[in-house]
Amino acid sequence: MQKKVTDEDLSGEKFIPNISVDIVIFGFHNRQLKILLLRFKNTSLYALPGGFINEEEEDIEEAVERVLTERTGIKDIYLEQFGVFGSKKRAFGETHKHIHESAGKTTELNQWITQRFVTVGYYALLNLKDTIPNPDDVSDFCGWIDINEMPTLAFDHKSIIEKALESLRMMLDLKLAVFNLMPESFTMNDLQSLYETILGKKLQRTNFQRKMLSLGILERLDKHWTGGAHKAAYLYRFDKNKYNEMQKEK
């Protein structure tokens, strides 16, 4: 079993210096696109889940998967690398020291953490109902926040989130990964609401439905009866096998 990396290791030499990973974890609920954020102890600063790469034991994606599991409680999450952030101004020494001291840490920060370092950005897509958000040992909150109601973010995480959303929008039709945000069964209206929320604009219902059905990756189930006066809508399910077959043919 791979050894878990703890935050106490920040005072040692276990991590690859001057490089980190930051993860924009997207979820969708009540027609809101949400992001999993941490709040640092005794501060008003929020941040993306992230961490460092164990020099001896981890590939970069293994580090990302470790952080995801620690923060959400689940594995096998859809991941996409969307950017590398390495501005010459990307040094947050005073912020790191403030966070460290506010959390009551007695260990000394490694010198490279207070200097310039590069971060690799990933976004993850999951059904947030499956998650059990879990803060790390320098945070007192880990939870879902509407992307349109972002609090004060530490470091350059606001721009990282903006880049992740831009990338997600570009990949909507190319990879169809957004189905990872949906429950196992959903109505066409639910799916359209997701697309509209991500894109930030309204879509024409008939055209959207025709487009989705033409993909050949939706399995139609029974109608969804609500007991209301409106006509019942069909439920659909994403057919991963058909999608995988289509990808192999490309």
Side-chain angles (χ1 to χ4, degrees):
M1 179 181 293
Q2 186 180 41
K3 179 180 179 293
K4 179 180 177 181
V5 179
T6 67
D7 290 301
E8 294 300 331
D9 292 329
L10 291 178
S11 60
E13 301 297 330
K14 293 180 179 294
F15 294 113
I16 299 175
N18 300 86
I19 185 168
S20 65
V21 294
D22 284 301
I23 315 162
V24 183
I25 307 176
F26 288 110
F28 183 69
H29 183 61
N30 287 339
R31 302 196 175 193
Q32 294 178 335
L33 187 64
K34 296 178 179 286
I35 293 176
L36 193 71
L37 293 178
L38 298 160
R39 183 182 63 220
F40 295 117
K41 289 180 179 178
N42 302 313
T43 77
S44 59
L45 291 176
Y46 289 73
L48 293 167
F52 304 100
I53 306 160
N54 188 293
E55 188 168 20
E56 297 179 355
E57 300 181 5
E58 291 180 318
D59 295 330
I60 186 168
E61 288 206 358
E62 288 177 329
V64 174
E65 289 166 359
R66 167 176 54 81
V67 172
L68 280 170
T69 300
E70 291 173 355
R71 299 288 76 79
T72 67
I74 57 177
K75 298 181 179 180
D76 300 322
I77 301 172
Y78 179 88
L79 271 175
E80 193 76 45
Q81 186 184 129
F82 67 89
V84 177
F85 301 83
S87 167
K88 63 184 179 181
K89 297 180 180 180
R90 201 174 193 283
F92 309 106
E94 291 304 314
T95 302
H96 276 294
K97 290 177 182 177
H98 174 58
I99 292 167
H100 197 70
E101 292 170 359
S102 296
K105 292 292 184 180
T106 58
T107 54
E108 291 185 7
L109 283 170
N110 232 329
Q111 186 179 7
W112 57 263
I113 297 176
T114 66
Q115 300 171 346
R116 175 189 176 187
F117 61 95
V118 173
T119 196
V120 183
Y122 285 79
Y123 66 76
L125 307 177
L126 49 76
N127 184 352
L128 63 80
K129 290 184 178 180
D130 296 333
T131 65
I132 304 175
N134 181 40
D136 58 26
D137 67 347
V138 294
S139 304
D140 56 16
F141 168 85
C142 180
W144 296 98
I145 295 179
D146 187 338
I147 195 170
N148 295 314
E149 299 176 359
M150 288 289 100
T152 302
L153 294 165
F155 316 121
D156 55 353
H157 287 189
K158 183 175 184 291
S159 61
I160 292 176
I161 291 172
E162 291 171 349
K163 184 66 176 180
L165 181 59
E166 178 186 334
S167 179
L168 178 60
R169 287 170 172 167
M170 291 175 61
M171 301 297 280
L172 268 180
D173 293 333
L174 183 60
K175 290 199 172 183
L176 301 173
V178 291
F179 284 97
N180 291 278
L181 294 169
M182 300 297 290
E184 183 176 352
S185 60
F186 48 85
T187 67
M188 191 63 69
N189 187 53
D190 293 333
L191 185 59
Q192 182 170 339
S193 175
L194 171 62
Y195 269 72
E196 290 177 340
T197 302
I198 292 173
L199 294 171
K201 64 180 181 181
K202 288 289 185 180
L203 300 173
Q204 209 283 327
R205 181 176 178 275
T206 303
N207 290 343
F208 178 80
Q209 181 169 324
R210 185 184 300 116
K211 175 183 176 181
M212 289 295 107
L213 294 177
S214 70
L215 296 173
I217 58 171
L218 293 181
E219 177 186 356
R220 193 169 77 174
L221 307 174
D222 294 332
K223 287 187 175 182
H224 177 56
W225 297 96
T226 62
H230 298 290
K231 184 178 178 181
Y234 280 105
L235 288 171
Y236 291 88
R237 180 167 56 202
F238 177 51
D239 192 325
K240 292 184 179 180
N241 291 329
K242 288 184 179 179
Y243 173 74
N244 290 334
E245 289 174 5
M246 290 173 56
Q247 293 300 107
K248 291 179 181 178
E249 294 173 358
K250 288 184 179 180

